[in-house]
Amino acid sequence: MDDSGNPGAKSGSEFLPSSRKSWTAVIVPSSVASAVETGLTIFLDGVREQYGAEELHFTEIWSGTGIWKDISPGDRSEVFRWMGKMVHGFGLPVVHQTVSEITFDDHPDLKRSIVGDRSGDWSLDDIGQFGLLMLTSSVAGHLRKLAADAASDFTLPMPLYVDEGVLPAGLDRPLPNWRDAIEGPTAKFRRSTDVRGLQLADFAAFAITRSQWIISKRSAQPALSPADAVIMEAVGGMNVLNLPWYVGPPEELHSRNYDKWMGDDREAKGLPRHPSGQSAS
């Protein structure tokens, strides 16, 4: 699991508020874990040899900062494509979760019930920590279903690794539930240099949240820019378990449609079409 690092970013869409915190999990089936580790090792060794990168932070690769400052956009795009081939080729299940003040406003009873509350060392009214726990709950549910359908591919319980941030690398924190699906149940906070699979989560988290940002900012036009096309290609091949799919031409990927789709989704869930219950300005 990794977060997308987007707190405070203003998208211009009421459906992507600046209070949001997004987390993404990439599930590596037990049956292919060794092959995925080998593939990641070969890929990351190649990137380190060619570009000097000890680990991949896709925000930096995308923006051309840090060691990527003097690397051409074409070469940086190839790093995205190769990581995409890894995620797509193995069909790795992906689960994405966003929590914001809208989440609590939509469910005022929930908000009242957790103000100042804790579950063990977890602060439930902290959007980031609450979002991580919601993602863990969702992942546990998907793991049960996956293991029921293909027991030989998913040996439960499975270890859960989270990129450092909520806690420093090397520390573990007990989880309040999900012992049957999550080993411990414990969240193990690690550096991506120590647990290579975390770089899969960094890739998926960045690509999904960036695709939402692109569409929410985009006016109707016939073609995606080369940079935007790289992101849409990365997301389009992912096996995302809990997000609806849209298939259509690039000219339909724009802010008006995004807001319409989000409003439709809220109505289907029995929520007001607009987050505040008011019409969009």
Side-chain angles (χ1 to χ4, degrees), residues 56-78:
L56 304 182
H57 294 293
F58 283 89
T59 300
E60 293 181 357
I61 298 172
W62 171 267
S63 58
T65 57
I67 67 168
W68 302 96
K69 180 179 179 180
D70 297 322
I71 307 302
S72 72
D75 285 349
R76 288 186 277 122
S77 294
E78 281 304 300

Side-chain angles (χ1 to χ4, degrees), residues 43 56 58 79-87 200 203:
F43 172 61
L56 304 182
F58 283 89
V79 176
F80 267 86
R81 290 192 177 98
W82 278 105
M83 184 62 93
K85 289 178 181 179
M86 180 80 61
V87 175
L200 297 169
F203 170 76

Side-chain angles (χ1 to χ4, degrees), residues 211-251:
S211 71
Q212 295 170 333
W213 179 272
I214 288 169
I215 299 172
S216 71
K217 289 281 192 179
R218 192 168 180 266
S219 300
Q221 50 188 324
L224 293 165
S225 70
D228 290 350
V230 169
I231 295 296
M232 293 305 172
E233 178 185 345
V235 173
M238 286 185 191
N239 178 24
V240 185
L241 301 181
N242 67 326
L243 295 181
W245 282 96
Y246 170 78
V247 179
E251 58 264 30

Side-chain angles (χ1 to χ4, degrees), residues 1 18 22 25 37 48 61 88 99 102 105 108 110 123 136 142 149 165 170 181 234-236:
M1 294 183 181
S18 57
S22 296
E37 176 76 8
R48 181 173 60 252
I61 298 172
H88 307 163
V99 173
I102 289 175
D105 291 343
L110 170 64
S123 178
T136 304
H142 285 292
D149 292 338
V235 173

Side-chain angles (χ1 to χ4, degrees), residues 13 19 65-66 69 78-79 86 96-98 112 126 157-158 169 190 198 208 223 226 229 232 276:
S13 170
S19 65
T65 57
K69 180 179 179 180
E78 281 304 300
V79 176
M86 180 80 61
H96 183 76
Q97 177 70 57
T98 296
R112 283 191 293 269
D126 178 282
M158 295 177 69
R190 300 292 186 267
L198 288 170
I208 290 173
M232 293 305 172
S276 64

Side-chain angles (χ1 to χ4, degrees), residues 2-281:
D2 198 4
D3 71 278
S4 63
N6 58 3
K10 296 181 179 180
S11 68
S13 170
E14 63 181 331
F15 300 102
L16 290 174
S18 57
S19 65
R20 70 194 182 281
K21 180 73 172 182
S22 296
W23 289 91
T24 308
V26 176
I27 299 172
V28 181
S30 311
S31 58
V32 299
S34 178
V36 170
E37 176 76 8
T38 298
L40 273 174
T41 299
I42 294 170
F43 172 61
L44 295 172
D45 284 351
V47 172
R48 181 173 60 252
E49 181 178 346
Q50 187 165 358
Y51 302 114
E54 292 297 328
E55 57 185 333
L56 304 182
H57 294 293
F58 283 89
T59 300
E60 293 181 357
I61 298 172
W62 171 267
S63 58
T65 57
I67 67 168
W68 302 96
K69 180 179 179 180
D70 297 322
I71 307 302
S72 72
D75 285 349
R76 288 186 277 122
S77 294
E78 281 304 300
V79 176
F80 267 86
R81 290 192 177 98
W82 278 105
M83 184 62 93
K85 289 178 181 179
M86 180 80 61
V87 175
H88 307 163
F90 283 103
L92 302 179
V94 176
V95 185
H96 183 76
Q97 177 70 57
T98 296
V99 173
S100 71
E101 289 295 344
I102 289 175
T103 310
F104 295 140
D105 291 343
D106 284 339
H107 306 282
D109 290 342
L110 170 64
K111 184 175 183 178
R112 283 191 293 269
S113 72
I114 64 175
V115 170
D117 198 8
R118 302 182 72 84
S119 179
D121 293 325
W122 301 93
S123 178
L124 298 183
D125 56 1
D126 178 282
I127 285 176
Q129 294 188 39
F130 186 72
L132 176 55
L133 291 177
M134 283 190 68
L135 177 62
T136 304
S137 178
S138 181
V139 166
H142 285 292
L143 281 174
R144 294 183 192 108
K145 294 176 184 177
L146 291 166
D149 292 338
S152 62
D153 289 330
F154 298 90
T155 303
L156 302 186
M158 295 177 69
L160 169 62
Y161 295 100
V162 186
D163 199 26
E164 61 181 330
V166 173
L167 287 182
L171 297 184
D172 300 344
R173 176 175 284 181
L175 294 164
N177 207 333
W178 318 297
R179 182 181 300 274
D180 63 314
I182 306 296
E183 188 180 274
T186 304
K188 304 172 185 291
F189 292 85
R190 300 292 186 267
R191 295 185 181 91
S192 60
T193 49
D194 298 325
V195 178
R196 295 184 181 92
L198 288 170
Q199 298 187 54
L200 297 169
D202 180 278
F203 170 76
F206 176 79
I208 290 173
T209 54
R210 187 69 197 184
S211 71
Q212 295 170 333
W213 179 272
I214 288 169
I215 299 172
S216 71
K217 289 281 192 179
R218 192 168 180 266
S219 300
Q221 50 188 324
L224 293 165
S225 70
D228 290 350
V230 169
I231 295 296
M232 293 305 172
E233 178 185 345
V235 173
M238 286 185 191
N239 178 24
V240 185
L241 301 181
N242 67 326
L243 295 181
W245 282 96
Y246 170 78
V247 179
E251 58 264 30
E252 294 182 4
L253 299 175
H254 57 75
S255 59
R256 291 196 305 277
N257 275 347
Y258 181 81
D259 287 350
K260 177 183 182 302
W261 298 330
M262 295 298 291
D264 291 346
D265 181 67
R266 288 178 59 84
E267 285 190 341
K269 294 174 179 174
L271 296 168
R273 186 169 186 84
H274 297 282
S276 64
Q278 305 295 319
S279 297
S281 59

